[in-house]
Amino acid sequence: MSKIKVVHYINQFFAGIGGEEQAHIEPEIREGAVGPGLALNAGLGENAEIVATIVCGDSFYNENLESAKETILEMIKSQDADLFIAGPAFNAGRYGVACGDITTAVQNELGIPALTGMYIENPGADMYKKEVYIVETRDSAAGMRDAVGKMVPLALKLVNNEEIGSPEEEHYYPRGIRKNFFTEKRGSARAVEMLLQKLKGEEFETEFPMPSFDRVEPAAPLKSVKEATIAIVTSGGIVPKGNPDRIESSSASKYGEYDIDGVMDLTEATYETAHGGFDPVYANLDADRVIPVDVLRQYEEEGKIGKLHRYYYSTVGNGTAVASAKAFSEEIGKKLIEDGVDAVILTST
Amino acid sequence: MVKGIEAYGIPVVHMCTVVPISLTVGANRIVPTIAIPHPLGNPNLDQEEELNLRRRLVDKALAALETEIEEQTVFE
């Protein structure tokens, strides 16, 4: 039997090309395994081999979803691959979206078995988990070994057309697929057992978890922005020069509140970004590119808006825990209400 | 972040480049922007053109805040 041909997708960072300053690079293909592909290759054993690695910058993929996908699909076709693996992306958001998107396209458009892996809070997990197998990994590359140990067996099962077990057994995110099977006990007996466990305060496992819809109703629109006080909030990490609150460049544990009374324009000398998840050059030169203080000040003078709120709020949305972001926004929202703010412009990088 | 603030009943417009992420996290009013490292600017333009670009984006955001919506809406 000939070896199973695997094509692997990674980003510019894991390919060793560079960090954020190289996140714009276009897709390229390299022979054999690169970076984390070496560990995957070792895990795949003798029957399968990474024949090619596709590398693409995270920003390039996310800013050019359609064309990036098309180019990469062509590259994969040229390799006559039996199996496609992307990542793992851990908790890198844009990487996770790229991995989820390309894995879905390979599976659906090329009909090649495909899978990826990432951390549960990676936005790519929620976006693509129903489409493809996404293996649950830790939040950083320190979890590579663990990820290989979970991704490789599932990948081999997929390519060999073996039966795939439950999400718990195979360590992938539940895809919302129901499967019929015979059980020893009938439903009523199982329900009563579960009820008894519940009454005793014991742990029990539901057979039908309710989907969680975490949504907020759209707030009523403003009658007129001309009379409104508008506040700026950002996850782009714009801070006064020197980052006085020392907001972390990733996994932020706090946000800052900054007084922009009388500030007409953000300049290179006065503001910068604390964000470690994108190339900071452009934001550091002119932070108005992330939070439009200059334009809103002009509009305030021209009477196009009522008022720009005196304070803006900033944190770094880079691998930041959902629980932290939730806590920040609850505090920020409370302050904005108390200060009589009518609407918010929230910018993200 | 968007949801946490909008839960207080204040309309929030989310200006971001990767719209699918914004839709996934549940922003209701979304204005697509230019690029990840410079959502509201473009360093390839001269200063005046860049300012005009930013004005147009802010205009869209302000219009979104004045628009009644029933569900998640992307203001192209």
Side-chain angles (χ1 to χ4, degrees), chain A residues 222-282:
Chain A
L222 296 171
K223 286 201 181 71
S224 166
V225 289
K226 288 194 174 108
E227 282 137 38
T229 298
I230 292 170
I232 297 171
V233 179
T234 188
S235 64
I238 301 300
V239 291
K241 192 98 179 170
N243 190 9
D245 294 321
R246 296 180 179 274
I247 297 176
E248 300 91 339
S249 61
S250 72
S251 306
S253 67
K254 55 194 149 191
Y255 64 91
E257 175 188 75
Y258 302 110
D259 189 345
I260 42 170
D261 191 28
V263 175
M264 302 306 287
D265 185 22
L266 309 181
T267 66
E268 194 184 351
T270 51
Y271 288 86
E272 64 183 3
T273 181
H275 203 294
F278 62 86
D279 185 354
V281 172
Y282 314 103

Short mmCIF file of all heavy atoms in Angstrom, two decimals, chain A residues 222-282:
data_model
loop_
_atom_site.label_atom_id
_atom_site.label_comp_id
_atom_site.label_asym_id
_atom_site.label_seq_id
_atom_site.Cartn_x
_atom_site.Cartn_y
_atom_site.Cartn_z
N LEU A 222 -30.60 55.29 17.95
CA LEU A 222 -30.65 56.69 18.39
C LEU A 222 -31.67 57.43 17.53
O LEU A 222 -31.78 57.16 16.34
CB LEU A 222 -29.28 57.34 18.20
CG LEU A 222 -28.12 56.77 19.02
CD1 LEU A 222 -26.81 57.39 18.55
CD2 LEU A 222 -28.33 57.03 20.50
N LYS A 223 -32.35 58.38 18.13
CA LYS A 223 -33.26 59.21 17.33
C LYS A 223 -32.43 60.09 16.41
O LYS A 223 -32.71 60.24 15.23
CB LYS A 223 -34.13 60.07 18.24
CG LYS A 223 -35.21 59.25 18.91
CD LYS A 223 -36.37 60.12 19.40
CE LYS A 223 -37.41 59.26 20.10
NZ LYS A 223 -36.90 58.75 21.42
N SER A 224 -31.38 60.68 16.99
CA SER A 224 -30.51 61.49 16.17
C SER A 224 -29.12 61.52 16.79
O SER A 224 -28.97 61.79 17.99
CB SER A 224 -31.05 62.92 16.08
OG SER A 224 -30.05 63.77 15.57
N VAL A 225 -28.11 61.22 15.99
CA VAL A 225 -26.74 61.29 16.54
C VAL A 225 -26.36 62.72 16.88
O VAL A 225 -25.44 62.94 17.66
CB VAL A 225 -25.68 60.69 15.56
CG1 VAL A 225 -25.82 59.18 15.48
CG2 VAL A 225 -25.74 61.32 14.20
N LYS A 226 -27.08 63.66 16.29
CA LYS A 226 -26.76 65.08 16.54
C LYS A 226 -26.92 65.46 18.00
O LYS A 226 -26.34 66.43 18.46
CB LYS A 226 -27.66 65.98 15.69
CG LYS A 226 -27.29 65.94 14.22
CD LYS A 226 -27.96 67.09 13.49
CE LYS A 226 -27.50 67.16 12.05
NZ LYS A 226 -28.51 66.74 11.09
N GLU A 227 -27.78 64.73 18.72
CA GLU A 227 -27.97 65.06 20.13
C GLU A 227 -27.35 64.01 21.05
O GLU A 227 -27.54 64.06 22.27
CB GLU A 227 -29.47 65.17 20.43
CG GLU A 227 -30.07 66.48 19.96
CD GLU A 227 -31.40 66.28 19.28
OE1 GLU A 227 -32.18 65.43 19.74
OE2 GLU A 227 -31.65 66.96 18.27
N ALA A 228 -26.63 63.10 20.47
CA ALA A 228 -26.16 61.96 21.27
C ALA A 228 -24.73 62.15 21.78
O ALA A 228 -23.90 62.77 21.13
CB ALA A 228 -26.23 60.70 20.43
N THR A 229 -24.50 61.59 22.98
CA THR A 229 -23.13 61.48 23.48
C THR A 229 -22.63 60.09 23.09
O THR A 229 -23.25 59.08 23.43
CB THR A 229 -23.09 61.64 25.01
OG1 THR A 229 -23.56 62.94 25.32
CG2 THR A 229 -21.68 61.45 25.54
N ILE A 230 -21.52 60.09 22.37
CA ILE A 230 -20.99 58.83 21.84
C ILE A 230 -19.66 58.51 22.49
O ILE A 230 -18.79 59.38 22.59
CB ILE A 230 -20.87 58.90 20.31
CG1 ILE A 230 -22.29 58.97 19.73
CG2 ILE A 230 -20.12 57.71 19.75
CD1 ILE A 230 -22.36 59.29 18.28
N ALA A 231 -19.51 57.28 22.94
CA ALA A 231 -18.25 56.87 23.57
C ALA A 231 -17.52 55.89 22.66
O ALA A 231 -18.13 55.18 21.88
CB ALA A 231 -18.53 56.21 24.92
N ILE A 232 -16.20 55.90 22.80
CA ILE A 232 -15.37 54.95 22.06
C ILE A 232 -14.90 53.86 23.01
O ILE A 232 -14.44 54.14 24.13
CB ILE A 232 -14.12 55.64 21.48
CG1 ILE A 232 -14.52 56.72 20.46
CG2 ILE A 232 -13.19 54.62 20.83
CD1 ILE A 232 -13.34 57.59 20.03
N VAL A 233 -15.01 52.61 22.55
CA VAL A 233 -14.45 51.47 23.27
C VAL A 233 -13.66 50.69 22.23
O VAL A 233 -14.07 50.61 21.07
CB VAL A 233 -15.56 50.58 23.88
CG1 VAL A 233 -14.97 49.38 24.60
CG2 VAL A 233 -16.45 51.39 24.83
N THR A 234 -12.54 50.12 22.62
CA THR A 234 -11.76 49.36 21.64
C THR A 234 -11.11 48.12 22.26
O THR A 234 -10.75 48.13 23.44
CB THR A 234 -10.69 50.25 20.97
OG1 THR A 234 -10.08 49.50 19.90
CG2 THR A 234 -9.60 50.68 21.94
N SER A 235 -10.97 47.10 21.44
CA SER A 235 -10.16 45.94 21.84
C SER A 235 -8.81 46.00 21.13
O SER A 235 -8.04 45.05 21.15
CB SER A 235 -10.88 44.63 21.49
OG SER A 235 -11.04 44.52 20.09
N GLY A 236 -8.54 47.14 20.49
CA GLY A 236 -7.30 47.31 19.73
C GLY A 236 -6.12 47.83 20.55
O GLY A 236 -5.06 48.10 20.00
N GLY A 237 -6.33 47.96 21.86
CA GLY A 237 -5.21 48.26 22.75
C GLY A 237 -4.63 49.66 22.66
O GLY A 237 -3.47 49.88 23.03
N ILE A 238 -5.41 50.63 22.17
CA ILE A 238 -4.87 51.99 22.09
C ILE A 238 -4.79 52.58 23.50
O ILE A 238 -5.78 52.62 24.23
CB ILE A 238 -5.75 52.89 21.19
CG1 ILE A 238 -5.84 52.31 19.77
CG2 ILE A 238 -5.20 54.33 21.18
CD1 ILE A 238 -4.52 52.15 19.05
N VAL A 239 -3.58 53.02 23.86
CA VAL A 239 -3.32 53.57 25.20
C VAL A 239 -2.46 54.82 25.08
O VAL A 239 -1.78 55.00 24.07
CB VAL A 239 -2.55 52.54 26.08
CG1 VAL A 239 -3.43 51.36 26.44
CG2 VAL A 239 -1.27 52.06 25.39
N PRO A 240 -2.48 55.69 26.10
CA PRO A 240 -1.53 56.80 26.11
C PRO A 240 -0.12 56.24 26.04
O PRO A 240 0.15 55.16 26.58
CB PRO A 240 -1.79 57.48 27.45
CG PRO A 240 -3.19 57.10 27.81
CD PRO A 240 -3.38 55.71 27.27
N LYS A 241 0.75 56.97 25.37
CA LYS A 241 2.13 56.52 25.17
C LYS A 241 2.74 56.06 26.49
O LYS A 241 2.60 56.72 27.51
CB LYS A 241 2.94 57.69 24.60
CG LYS A 241 4.29 57.29 24.10
CD LYS A 241 4.27 57.11 22.60
CE LYS A 241 5.66 56.73 22.08
NZ LYS A 241 5.57 56.33 20.68
N GLY A 242 3.38 54.90 26.46
CA GLY A 242 4.00 54.37 27.67
C GLY A 242 3.12 53.36 28.38
O GLY A 242 3.55 52.73 29.34
N ASN A 243 1.86 53.21 27.91
CA ASN A 243 0.94 52.22 28.48
C ASN A 243 0.90 52.29 30.01
O ASN A 243 1.34 51.36 30.70
CB ASN A 243 1.38 50.82 28.00
CG ASN A 243 0.36 49.74 28.34
OD1 ASN A 243 -0.76 50.03 28.79
ND2 ASN A 243 0.73 48.50 28.11
N PRO A 244 0.37 53.41 30.56
CA PRO A 244 0.44 53.66 32.01
C PRO A 244 -0.18 52.54 32.87
O PRO A 244 0.31 52.30 33.97
CB PRO A 244 -0.33 54.97 32.19
CG PRO A 244 -1.14 55.14 30.94
CD PRO A 244 -0.33 54.50 29.85
N ASP A 245 -1.20 51.88 32.37
CA ASP A 245 -1.82 50.82 33.18
C ASP A 245 -1.18 49.46 32.93
O ASP A 245 -1.63 48.45 33.48
CB ASP A 245 -3.32 50.74 32.88
CG ASP A 245 -4.05 51.99 33.34
OD1 ASP A 245 -3.70 52.50 34.41
OD2 ASP A 245 -4.95 52.45 32.59
N ARG A 246 -0.18 49.45 32.06
CA ARG A 246 0.49 48.20 31.71
C ARG A 246 -0.51 47.11 31.31
O ARG A 246 -0.52 46.00 31.87
CB ARG A 246 1.34 47.70 32.88
CG ARG A 246 2.47 48.66 33.19
CD ARG A 246 3.33 48.15 34.34
NE ARG A 246 4.42 49.08 34.60
CZ ARG A 246 5.58 49.03 33.95
NH1 ARG A 246 5.79 48.10 33.04
NH2 ARG A 246 6.53 49.90 34.22
N ILE A 247 -1.34 47.44 30.36
CA ILE A 247 -2.26 46.43 29.82
C ILE A 247 -1.42 45.42 29.05
O ILE A 247 -0.56 45.80 28.25
CB ILE A 247 -3.33 47.09 28.92
CG1 ILE A 247 -4.18 48.06 29.75
CG2 ILE A 247 -4.20 46.03 28.26
CD1 ILE A 247 -5.21 48.84 28.96
N GLU A 248 -1.66 44.14 29.31
CA GLU A 248 -0.84 43.09 28.71
C GLU A 248 -1.05 43.00 27.20
O GLU A 248 -2.16 43.21 26.71
CB GLU A 248 -1.17 41.74 29.35
CG GLU A 248 -0.94 41.68 30.86
CD GLU A 248 -2.18 42.07 31.67
OE1 GLU A 248 -3.07 42.75 31.13
OE2 GLU A 248 -2.24 41.68 32.85
N SER A 249 0.01 42.63 26.47
CA SER A 249 -0.08 42.55 25.01
C SER A 249 -0.91 41.36 24.54
O SER A 249 -1.37 41.31 23.41
CB SER A 249 1.31 42.49 24.41
OG SER A 249 1.97 41.33 24.87
N SER A 250 -1.07 40.36 25.41
CA SER A 250 -2.01 39.27 25.12
C SER A 250 -2.61 38.78 26.43
O SER A 250 -2.07 39.06 27.49
CB SER A 250 -1.31 38.13 24.39
OG SER A 250 -0.46 37.45 25.27
N SER A 251 -3.74 38.07 26.32
CA SER A 251 -4.45 37.59 27.51
C SER A 251 -4.61 38.71 28.55
O SER A 251 -4.25 38.53 29.72
CB SER A 251 -3.72 36.40 28.15
OG SER A 251 -3.51 35.40 27.21
N ALA A 252 -5.13 39.84 28.11
CA ALA A 252 -5.26 41.00 28.99
C ALA A 252 -6.09 40.67 30.23
O ALA A 252 -7.11 40.00 30.15
CB ALA A 252 -5.89 42.16 28.23
N SER A 253 -5.62 41.17 31.38
CA SER A 253 -6.36 40.95 32.62
C SER A 253 -7.09 42.23 33.04
O SER A 253 -7.69 42.29 34.09
CB SER A 253 -5.39 40.53 33.72
OG SER A 253 -4.52 41.61 34.02
N LYS A 254 -6.96 43.31 32.22
CA LYS A 254 -7.58 44.58 32.61
C LYS A 254 -7.87 45.44 31.39
O LYS A 254 -7.44 45.12 30.29
CB LYS A 254 -6.67 45.33 33.57
CG LYS A 254 -5.27 45.55 33.00
CD LYS A 254 -4.33 45.98 34.11
CE LYS A 254 -2.93 45.50 33.82
NZ LYS A 254 -1.99 45.63 34.89
N TYR A 255 -8.60 46.53 31.65
CA TYR A 255 -8.83 47.51 30.60
C TYR A 255 -8.44 48.87 31.17
O TYR A 255 -8.25 49.01 32.38
CB TYR A 255 -10.29 47.51 30.16
CG TYR A 255 -11.26 47.92 31.24
CD1 TYR A 255 -11.63 49.27 31.40
CD2 TYR A 255 -11.79 46.99 32.12
CE1 TYR A 255 -12.51 49.66 32.41
CE2 TYR A 255 -12.66 47.37 33.13
CZ TYR A 255 -13.01 48.70 33.27
OH TYR A 255 -13.86 49.08 34.27
N GLY A 256 -8.29 49.86 30.31
CA GLY A 256 -7.96 51.20 30.78
C GLY A 256 -9.07 52.19 30.46
O GLY A 256 -9.82 52.01 29.50
N GLU A 257 -9.18 53.22 31.32
CA GLU A 257 -10.12 54.31 31.09
C GLU A 257 -9.28 55.56 30.89
O GLU A 257 -8.48 55.91 31.76
CB GLU A 257 -11.01 54.46 32.33
CG GLU A 257 -11.96 55.64 32.27
CD GLU A 257 -12.68 55.84 33.61
OE1 GLU A 257 -12.03 56.33 34.56
OE2 GLU A 257 -13.85 55.49 33.70
N TYR A 258 -9.42 56.22 29.73
CA TYR A 258 -8.53 57.34 29.43
C TYR A 258 -9.29 58.60 29.08
O TYR A 258 -10.22 58.57 28.27
CB TYR A 258 -7.56 56.94 28.31
CG TYR A 258 -6.76 55.71 28.69
CD1 TYR A 258 -6.99 54.48 28.07
CD2 TYR A 258 -5.83 55.77 29.73
CE1 TYR A 258 -6.29 53.35 28.46
CE2 TYR A 258 -5.13 54.64 30.14
CZ TYR A 258 -5.36 53.43 29.50
OH TYR A 258 -4.69 52.32 29.91
N ASP A 259 -8.85 59.68 29.72
CA ASP A 259 -9.48 60.98 29.56
C ASP A 259 -8.98 61.63 28.27
O ASP A 259 -7.78 61.82 28.10
CB ASP A 259 -9.08 61.85 30.77
CG ASP A 259 -9.86 63.16 30.81
OD1 ASP A 259 -10.47 63.52 29.79
OD2 ASP A 259 -9.84 63.81 31.88
N ILE A 260 -9.90 61.92 27.34
CA ILE A 260 -9.48 62.57 26.10
C ILE A 260 -10.09 63.98 26.01
O ILE A 260 -10.29 64.50 24.91
CB ILE A 260 -9.84 61.74 24.84
CG1 ILE A 260 -11.24 61.14 24.96
CG2 ILE A 260 -8.79 60.69 24.57
CD1 ILE A 260 -11.75 60.53 23.66
N ASP A 261 -10.36 64.55 27.17
CA ASP A 261 -10.89 65.91 27.20
C ASP A 261 -9.88 66.83 26.48
O ASP A 261 -8.70 66.88 26.85
CB ASP A 261 -11.05 66.35 28.66
CG ASP A 261 -11.85 67.65 28.76
OD1 ASP A 261 -12.68 67.89 27.87
OD2 ASP A 261 -11.63 68.40 29.73
N GLY A 262 -10.31 67.53 25.47
CA GLY A 262 -9.43 68.46 24.77
C GLY A 262 -8.49 67.82 23.76
O GLY A 262 -7.77 68.51 23.06
N VAL A 263 -8.47 66.50 23.68
CA VAL A 263 -7.60 65.84 22.70
C VAL A 263 -8.29 65.86 21.34
O VAL A 263 -9.39 65.33 21.18
CB VAL A 263 -7.30 64.38 23.12
CG1 VAL A 263 -6.50 63.67 22.04
CG2 VAL A 263 -6.56 64.35 24.44
N MET A 264 -7.65 66.49 20.35
CA MET A 264 -8.27 66.65 19.03
C MET A 264 -7.80 65.58 18.06
O MET A 264 -8.47 65.27 17.09
CB MET A 264 -7.92 68.03 18.43
CG MET A 264 -8.36 69.20 19.29
SD MET A 264 -10.12 69.16 19.72
CE MET A 264 -10.82 69.61 18.14
N ASP A 265 -6.63 65.05 18.32
CA ASP A 265 -6.00 64.16 17.34
C ASP A 265 -5.01 63.27 18.10
O ASP A 265 -4.31 63.74 18.99
CB ASP A 265 -5.26 65.05 16.32
CG ASP A 265 -4.66 64.24 15.19
OD1 ASP A 265 -5.13 63.12 14.94
OD2 ASP A 265 -3.70 64.75 14.57
N LEU A 266 -4.98 62.00 17.78
CA LEU A 266 -4.01 61.11 18.43
C LEU A 266 -2.74 61.10 17.58
O LEU A 266 -2.81 60.90 16.37
CB LEU A 266 -4.59 59.69 18.53
CG LEU A 266 -5.99 59.58 19.15
CD1 LEU A 266 -6.43 58.11 19.21
CD2 LEU A 266 -6.05 60.19 20.55
N THR A 267 -1.62 61.32 18.20
CA THR A 267 -0.37 61.39 17.42
C THR A 267 0.62 60.32 17.89
O THR A 267 0.45 59.70 18.94
CB THR A 267 0.31 62.77 17.59
OG1 THR A 267 0.73 62.89 18.95
CG2 THR A 267 -0.65 63.90 17.26
N GLU A 268 1.65 60.19 17.07
CA GLU A 268 2.71 59.23 17.37
C GLU A 268 3.34 59.51 18.72
O GLU A 268 3.76 58.58 19.43
CB GLU A 268 3.76 59.33 16.25
CG GLU A 268 4.72 58.19 16.23
CD GLU A 268 5.80 58.37 15.16
OE1 GLU A 268 5.70 59.29 14.33
OE2 GLU A 268 6.75 57.56 15.18
N ALA A 269 3.40 60.80 19.08
CA ALA A 269 4.07 61.18 20.32
C ALA A 269 3.21 60.92 21.55
O ALA A 269 3.73 60.83 22.66
CB ALA A 269 4.43 62.67 20.26
N THR A 270 1.88 60.80 21.36
CA THR A 270 1.01 60.75 22.54
C THR A 270 0.30 59.41 22.77
O THR A 270 -0.07 59.08 23.89
CB THR A 270 -0.07 61.84 22.43
OG1 THR A 270 -0.72 61.74 21.16
CG2 THR A 270 0.52 63.23 22.61
N TYR A 271 0.07 58.65 21.71
CA TYR A 271 -0.67 57.39 21.86
C TYR A 271 0.02 56.26 21.11
O TYR A 271 0.79 56.50 20.17
CB TYR A 271 -2.12 57.55 21.35
CG TYR A 271 -2.94 58.40 22.28
CD1 TYR A 271 -2.94 59.79 22.15
CD2 TYR A 271 -3.68 57.84 23.31
CE1 TYR A 271 -3.65 60.60 23.02
CE2 TYR A 271 -4.40 58.63 24.19
CZ TYR A 271 -4.39 60.01 24.05
OH TYR A 271 -5.10 60.78 24.92
N GLU A 272 -0.28 55.04 21.54
CA GLU A 272 0.28 53.86 20.89
C GLU A 272 -0.64 52.67 21.16
O GLU A 272 -1.64 52.80 21.88
CB GLU A 272 1.67 53.56 21.45
CG GLU A 272 1.65 53.19 22.94
CD GLU A 272 3.04 52.95 23.52
OE1 GLU A 272 4.02 53.13 22.79
OE2 GLU A 272 3.12 52.58 24.70
N THR A 273 -0.29 51.51 20.61
CA THR A 273 -1.10 50.34 20.92
C THR A 273 -0.31 49.38 21.80
O THR A 273 0.91 49.23 21.63
CB THR A 273 -1.61 49.60 19.66
OG1 THR A 273 -2.40 48.47 20.10
CG2 THR A 273 -0.47 49.09 18.78
N ALA A 274 -1.01 48.74 22.72
CA ALA A 274 -0.40 47.74 23.60
C ALA A 274 -0.65 46.34 23.05
O ALA A 274 -0.21 45.35 23.63
CB ALA A 274 -1.00 47.86 25.00
N HIS A 275 -1.37 46.25 21.94
CA HIS A 275 -1.82 44.97 21.40
C HIS A 275 -0.64 44.19 20.81
O HIS A 275 0.14 44.73 20.04
CB HIS A 275 -2.85 45.25 20.29
CG HIS A 275 -3.78 44.12 20.00
ND1 HIS A 275 -3.34 42.93 19.47
CD2 HIS A 275 -5.12 44.00 20.13
CE1 HIS A 275 -4.40 42.14 19.30
NE2 HIS A 275 -5.48 42.76 19.70
N GLY A 276 -0.52 42.93 21.16
CA GLY A 276 0.58 42.12 20.63
C GLY A 276 0.13 41.18 19.53
O GLY A 276 0.89 40.32 19.10
N GLY A 277 -1.11 41.36 19.04
CA GLY A 277 -1.63 40.41 18.06
C GLY A 277 -1.73 40.95 16.65
O GLY A 277 -2.37 40.34 15.80
N PHE A 278 -1.16 42.09 16.38
CA PHE A 278 -1.09 42.57 15.00
C PHE A 278 0.14 43.47 14.87
O PHE A 278 0.70 43.90 15.87
CB PHE A 278 -2.37 43.30 14.57
CG PHE A 278 -2.70 44.54 15.34
CD1 PHE A 278 -2.15 45.79 15.00
CD2 PHE A 278 -3.58 44.50 16.42
CE1 PHE A 278 -2.47 46.94 15.72
CE2 PHE A 278 -3.90 45.65 17.15
CZ PHE A 278 -3.34 46.87 16.79
N ASP A 279 0.56 43.72 13.64
CA ASP A 279 1.72 44.57 13.41
C ASP A 279 1.39 45.99 13.88
O ASP A 279 0.52 46.65 13.32
CB ASP A 279 2.06 44.55 11.92
CG ASP A 279 3.34 45.31 11.61
OD1 ASP A 279 3.88 45.95 12.54
OD2 ASP A 279 3.78 45.29 10.46
N PRO A 280 2.08 46.49 14.94
CA PRO A 280 1.67 47.74 15.57
C PRO A 280 2.12 49.01 14.84
O PRO A 280 1.77 50.12 15.25
CB PRO A 280 2.34 47.66 16.94
CG PRO A 280 3.58 46.86 16.70
CD PRO A 280 3.22 45.87 15.62
N VAL A 281 2.91 48.85 13.77
CA VAL A 281 3.51 50.02 13.11
C VAL A 281 2.48 51.09 12.76
O VAL A 281 2.65 52.27 13.09
CB VAL A 281 4.27 49.56 11.83
CG1 VAL A 281 4.75 50.77 11.03
CG2 VAL A 281 5.45 48.67 12.21
N TYR A 282 1.38 50.69 12.11
CA TYR A 282 0.41 51.67 11.60
C TYR A 282 -0.36 52.35 12.72
O TYR A 282 -0.62 53.55 12.67
CB TYR A 282 -0.56 50.99 10.62
CG TYR A 282 0.17 50.11 9.64
CD1 TYR A 282 0.18 48.72 9.78
CD2 TYR A 282 0.89 50.67 8.59
CE1 TYR A 282 0.87 47.91 8.90
CE2 TYR A 282 1.59 49.87 7.70
CZ TYR A 282 1.59 48.49 7.86
OH TYR A 282 2.28 47.70 7.00
#
